[in-house]
Amino acid sequence: MIAALEDLMVEVRPDVVIVYGDTNSTLAAAIAAAKLHIDIAHVEAGLRSFNKRMPEEINRVLTDHVSRYLFCPTSTAVENLDREGVSDGVHNVGDVMFDASKFYAEVAEKESKVLEHCMLRKGDYVLATCHRQENTDDPERLREILVGLSQLAEVGSVVLPIHPRTKLKIDEFGLSCHLGNVQVVEPLSYLDMLVLEKYSRTIVTDSGGVQKEAYFFNVPCITIRDETEWVETVQTGHNILAGADAKNIKAAFNVQNMSNEWPNLFGTGDAGDRIVSMLLSR
């Protein structure tokens, strides 16, 4: 990726290379641009799980430290960068995922039929997702997660859009017997996922994006990880870290904070416009 992106950048000579999040392609583009002395704008800068065993953590830290513009989604992200001595070019613009969720939720309401297809009633089911390597590639962690979901399915509907890697590992480890009454469905479109998130009773996930979308839609979240980048959602009581532990998953489901107060953590839904304005005025 680095070599191919470098060739492309030499050909195009962009004024700025914009990278998003914490994927391997994010870091590859940042390294290629940095070596060519092209300014880098990192959208979703400043996030930290403080777990360097996660490849995403390495990617985001290194990308932040070679970026000229650091567009942070939250005030906590700004504070994380400041502790690392990064203050120039840092802007708290809000979260572009919030922009997208606000816009596409309206589209999804009109176009998605996922509730009917899955025979689910609004507010009467749990939505679960699981895809992270730390969970899928560890048979004991994956087993605990499946057992926890199956226990929730004993008292209500649980729907699990299955990630290809998760399905592969369930089959490889012989864990399908632990799914119980969990309704397993094929991977869904973005619009279908938004509808399922919006109308779920609770969301159980190891996805950073889904944790945020749960908060956007005022849905309690149980995170099946040992830490999260979105610490603000935990601090408000609307996201509980359960790890990969069946007992913790069930306990978190029983003690969720159902407060109607959802502080504005992720901006006002205009992060994209703010980023564009800042880059155009550079």
Side-chain angles (χ1 to χ4, degrees), residues 97-235:
M97 277 189 64
F98 187 33
D99 300 17
S101 295
K102 287 182 64 176
F103 178 84
Y104 283 105
E106 296 183 13
V107 178
E109 288 278 3
K110 300 175 183 177
E111 297 189 8
S112 174
K113 303 296 181 184
V114 68
L115 293 179
E116 293 90 331
H117 290 164
C118 294
M119 294 183 290
L120 299 169
R121 293 183 299 177
K122 293 180 179 179
D124 194 36
Y125 61 90
V126 173
L127 170 64
T129 78
C130 176
H131 78 283
R132 284 192 179 271
Q133 181 178 343
E134 65 195 78
N135 286 330
T136 61
D137 291 7
D138 185 324
E140 182 57 29
R141 287 183 69 92
L142 186 55
R143 188 192 73 83
E144 282 287 310
I145 290 167
L146 298 182
V147 170
L149 295 179
S150 67
Q151 290 175 348
L152 298 187
E154 293 173 1
V155 296
S157 298
V158 177
V159 59
L160 172 66
I162 194 78
H163 190 282
R165 180 167 63 194
T166 308
K167 184 178 186 304
L168 178 68
K169 291 299 182 179
I170 288 174
D171 293 341
E172 178 182 332
F173 299 143
L175 298 176
S176 59
C177 59
H178 296 294
L179 280 166
N181 294 323
V182 174
Q183 181 182 357
V184 178
V185 300
E186 291 300 309
L188 298 171
S189 71
Y190 176 56
L191 296 184
D192 285 343
M193 279 298 295
L194 287 180
V195 169
L196 282 184
E197 290 167 353
K198 182 175 181 179
Y199 291 113
S200 60
R201 173 183 175 183
T202 304
I203 292 175
V204 180
T205 187
D206 60 6
S207 164
V210 175
Q211 288 176 61
K212 286 191 295 180
E213 286 165 343
Y215 195 89
F216 299 160
F217 294 125
N218 295 354
V219 175
C221 185
I222 299 169
T223 296
I224 44 177
R225 289 171 54 193
D226 300 320
E227 67 281 309
T228 180
E229 301 76 27
W230 305 108
V231 293
E232 302 91 345
T233 64
V234 176
Q235 292 167 351

Side-chain angles (χ1 to χ4, degrees), residues 22-41:
D22 52 25
T23 64
N24 289 340
S25 55
T26 298
L27 179 60
I31 290 174
K35 289 185 175 183
L36 294 171
H37 308 292
I38 300 171
D39 285 343
I40 303 159

Side-chain angles (χ1 to χ4, degrees), residues 3 6 12 42 48 54 56 58 67 69 72 84 89 95-96 118 121 126 136 138 156 185 191 217 259 276:
E6 186 172 290
V12 175
H42 187 198
R48 297 292 183 269
M54 294 175 57
E56 296 90 346
I58 301 299
S67 293
Y69 303 96
C72 298
E84 295 174 11
D95 198 312
V96 293
C118 294
R121 293 183 299 177
V126 173
T136 61
D138 185 324
V185 300
L191 296 184
F217 294 125
S259 169
V276 170

Side-chain angles (χ1 to χ4, degrees), residues 220-221 232-240 255-259:
C221 185
E232 302 91 345
T233 64
V234 176
Q235 292 167 351
T236 64
H238 297 292
N239 185 6
I240 297 175
V255 301
Q256 293 168 93
N257 180 352
M258 300 302 289
S259 169

